[in-house]
Amino acid sequence: MRNTITDTYTITPFLDENFLLQTETARRLYHEHAKDMPIIDYHCHLSPQDIANDRKFKNLTQIWLEGDHYKWRAMRTNGVPEHFCTGDADDYAKFEKWAETVPYTMRNPLYHWTHMELKRPFGIDTILKPETARDIYDACTDMLQTDEYSVRGILKKMNVEIICTTDDPIDTLEHHQKIKADNFGIQVLPAFRADKVLAIDDEAVFLPYLQKLAEAAGIAIDNYQGLLDALQQRHDFFHENGCRLSDHGLETIYAEAYTEQEVKAIFEKALQKQSITKEEVLKFKSAMLMQLALMDHAKNWTQQFHLGALRNNNTRMMRELGPDTGFDSIGDFDVARPLAKFMDKLDNSNQLAKTILYNLNPSQNELYATMIGNFNDGSTPGKIQYGSAWWFLDQKDGMERQLNALSNMGLLSRFVGMLTDSRSFLSYPRHEYFRRILCNMIGNDVENGELPASEMAWLGQMVEDICYNNAKSYFNF
């Protein structure tokens, strides 16, 4: 009599070399075409200072839990007090609480990511749980003290070729300049994120920021033209330092009708700390977004729009911890009409830059996937891109749904592929995760007779293009 399910059939080992690859064709595509392609991480939040200084993290907690709101969110849900998430508990105590939480993350992408990040780059196959926490912590911490596991060592180990960080226009870019001077083999380029210049509805943020922007540009911002001149100066400076992408994190695109005189008057009211109406806020934000888009087009940059996050929902925790600490969610905003209006205005004057659109609400997948087709003009393959599954969606189901929407409504073969969007130097297995999911989908289609097995050479090339070649060509770094 059989006593266990393993007597009746074989269970696939967790996280083996064929993880997520359900068919022989998928395995061929991944191992022969995807696995060894270099990584272009064209959007992330890694610290340029850490790369410039080739930081060595003191322990696994610092490289893994420092700044990772995905893990903090899971820990809070598991009943872990804030003291062990963002507070002043000692590093190993924080790690213990994460190890206690990991078993409860099964079927959350964190369970996959956690064990992939232990396996690569550390080579650890052990399941993380309270009983194994000490041994894993000590082993990884020991490795992190060696040159091979410094920040630059990890990037090389993960086969990273190009990184684009996310940088404010007021940044000096001194760390990028040092990285370039060191010439350590990986390009690290800035990306221009000017969200704060749109924050006219938040006086406490907006006016102090204008002062910092004026100081960075060396231009007085005492009228609207001064603001535009300062932004242009910083845009030029970023370009001189290798920047080729901008980025915006917005609830939705702003595309209100406005005149230049209206915007000048609205900005003057803001400088004088006068009350501004909701309509005036939208007009100003629309004008600024348009001016930034025109700057991007003039320099042949790619503009990125991350749309749909409802941020800082917990007022008490926002007050105590600040933004980007794990209290954001998917939002539901009017997207299609303003997005079409904004892009159409730029396209109508032939000033629409290469553009990547990322959505956070999965109900809008097909909306975004069809929107890109409205403005692809034949000038560049995949000029307008439907960006990779982002934030809450960069997990197996979210990636599959994004890939299917793009396949059904556009050209998957022209997709510029995955990015980490991460603050952690251990997040590069997300590229592997994406590549395995991509190969599995295509492999299943072949074995189901939905794609021709006779075209394996082309399918292999398509996989390589999505993983690396398309981004390399599209961004023209």
Side-chain angles (χ1 to χ4, degrees):
M1 182 176 180
R2 293 186 173 96
N3 295 317
T4 66
I5 57 173
T6 55
D7 289 327
T8 59
Y9 60 88
T10 301
I11 295 178
T12 302
F14 175 64
L15 212 67
D16 70 354
E17 65 177 5
N18 292 320
F19 177 59
L20 299 178
L21 304 173
Q22 298 170 331
T23 64
E24 185 58 35
T25 304
R27 294 163 190 157
R28 281 186 58 193
L29 288 170
Y30 177 73
H31 291 293
E32 296 176 14
H33 297 282
K35 180 181 177 182
D36 296 325
M37 298 301 289
I39 288 174
I40 296 177
D41 195 22
Y42 56 88
H43 174 70
C44 73
H45 298 274
L46 294 179
S47 164
Q49 182 175 356
D50 285 348
I51 303 174
N53 295 336
D54 197 18
R55 179 180 178 183
K56 286 183 181 176
F57 289 87
K58 293 181 179 179
N59 54 54
L60 185 54
T61 299
Q62 290 189 7
I63 194 172
W64 221 10
L65 295 172
E66 189 180 273
D68 191 340
H69 55 78
Y70 286 83
K71 293 185 178 72
W72 298 341
R73 192 175 174 105
M75 292 165 72
R76 294 174 188 131
T77 303
N78 198 44
V80 175
E82 195 64 33
H83 175 61
F84 297 99
C85 300
T86 62
D88 60 359
D90 71 69
D91 285 345
Y92 185 67
K94 289 182 177 181
F95 183 78
E96 276 190 308
K97 291 299 183 183
W98 172 237
E100 291 173 12
T101 299
V102 167
Y104 292 92
T105 67
M106 285 190 179
R107 300 209 81 246
N108 183 292
L110 282 166
Y111 195 80
H112 284 168
W113 295 344
T114 292
H115 292 98
M116 291 179 75
E117 290 169 12
L118 287 174
K119 190 166 186 175
R120 284 170 284 277
F122 296 112
I124 292 176
D125 292 313
T126 307
I127 299 297
L128 178 58
K129 50 189 174 181
E131 301 91 315
T132 62
R134 184 84 248 183
D135 287 345
I136 289 174
Y137 184 86
D138 288 345
C140 293
T141 296
D142 286 346
M143 283 184 262
L144 287 168
Q145 308 318 302
T146 67
D147 291 343
E148 186 180 0
Y149 288 86
S150 68
V151 161
R152 295 185 184 185
I154 290 171
L155 294 175
K156 291 178 180 178
K157 186 180 286 287
M158 299 308 297
N159 199 22
V160 178
E161 182 177 289
I162 298 172
I163 296 170
C164 293
T165 58
T166 303
D167 308 276
D168 193 283
I170 67 174
D171 288 346
T172 64
L173 302 185
E174 60 187 289
H175 301 304
H176 289 87
Q177 292 166 352
K178 182 181 186 305
I179 294 166
K180 183 178 180 180
D182 288 349
N183 192 27
F184 80 103
I186 297 173
Q187 274 189 286
V188 181
L189 306 174
F192 193 79
R193 185 156 180 164
D195 290 353
K196 290 180 182 177
V197 82
L198 274 67
I200 195 170
D201 50 343
D202 189 345
E203 181 182 308
V205 171
F206 188 63
L207 294 179
Y209 181 76
L210 292 183
Q211 180 62 38
K212 293 177 182 177
L213 179 61
E215 292 171 359
I219 294 173
I221 302 178
D222 49 16
N223 55 42
Y224 182 59
Q225 187 59 51
L227 173 60
L228 296 183
D229 290 344
L231 278 173
Q232 185 67 64
Q233 192 278 338
R234 301 311 293 165
H235 201 276
D236 293 344
F237 175 72
F238 269 59
H239 189 81
E240 291 165 5
N241 282 275
C243 181
R244 297 296 180 268
L245 292 93
S246 69
D247 181 48
H248 305 270
L250 307 171
E251 292 181 348
T252 187
I253 289 287
Y254 303 107
E256 295 294 311
Y258 62 85
T259 66
E260 186 173 353
Q261 285 304 116
E262 285 179 316
V263 177
K264 288 179 178 178
I266 293 166
F267 186 64
E268 187 64 30
K269 288 176 69 175
L271 290 179
Q272 296 177 9
K273 300 183 181 182
Q274 297 178 15
S275 177
I276 299 172
T277 67
K278 183 177 180 180
E279 182 182 8
E280 289 174 328
V281 167
L282 293 176
K283 286 178 180 289
F284 179 81
K285 291 186 176 188
S286 300
M288 293 312 305
L289 209 56
M290 182 61 60
Q291 290 297 324
L292 291 166
L294 293 173
M295 292 180 193
D296 290 349
H297 177 269
K299 289 194 176 69
N300 195 29
W301 285 12
T302 298
Q303 56 184 357
Q304 301 175 93
F305 295 97
H306 289 83
L307 306 173
L310 188 61
R311 299 176 187 269
N312 306 316
N313 295 284
N314 188 320
T315 303
R316 178 176 61 86
M317 298 306 285
M318 174 63 179
R319 185 170 59 247
E320 293 179 12
L321 302 178
D324 303 322
T325 50
F327 298 94
D328 307 323
S329 63
I330 294 170
D332 185 12
F333 306 101
D334 182 17
V335 172
R337 193 172 299 280
L339 182 55
K341 186 176 179 181
F342 174 76
M343 297 178 74
D344 184 58
K345 185 174 181 179
L346 290 164
D347 182 77
N348 197 44
S349 60
N350 197 27
Q351 291 176 293
L352 177 59
K354 289 180 288 186
T355 303
I356 307 177
L357 303 175
Y358 306 86
N359 66 297
L360 196 57
N361 190 328
S363 69
Q364 298 168 343
N365 283 7
E366 283 73 19
L367 184 161
Y368 280 74
T370 54
M371 184 64 71
I372 66 172
N374 296 331
F375 299 101
N376 273 313
D377 57 13
S379 61
T380 300
K383 175 183 174 180
I384 312 300
Q385 290 275 329
Y386 176 29
S388 62
W390 168 49
W391 198 344
F392 294 112
L393 307 184
D394 63 353
Q395 25 73 11
K396 184 173 180 286
D397 177 66
M399 290 182 192
E400 289 176 344
R401 291 175 67 178
Q402 186 269 347
L403 290 167
N404 279 324
L406 178 55
S407 298
N408 288 331
M409 310 297 176
L411 296 180
L412 175 63
S413 54
R414 290 299 190 181
F415 182 34
V416 293
M418 188 56 178
L419 45 84
T420 63
D421 189 33
S422 176
R423 292 166 173 79
S424 171
F425 289 95
L426 295 183
S427 290
Y428 282 98
R430 292 187 191 180
H431 282 262
E432 177 187 340
Y433 201 55
F434 166 82
R435 292 174 181 187
R436 288 178 179 273
I437 290 166
L438 171 68
C439 292
N440 190 60
M441 292 182 69
I442 296 174
N444 284 344
D445 285 350
V446 171
E447 300 213 6
N448 290 336
E450 297 177 52
L451 289 174
S454 61
E455 296 301 308
M456 277 297 291
W458 171 250
L459 291 170
Q461 183 63 57
M462 177 176 161
V463 165
E464 292 178 11
D465 289 346
I466 295 169
C467 292
Y468 172 75
N469 295 325
N470 287 347
K472 183 82 169 179
S473 174
Y474 183 80
F475 295 111
N476 192 30
F477 290 120

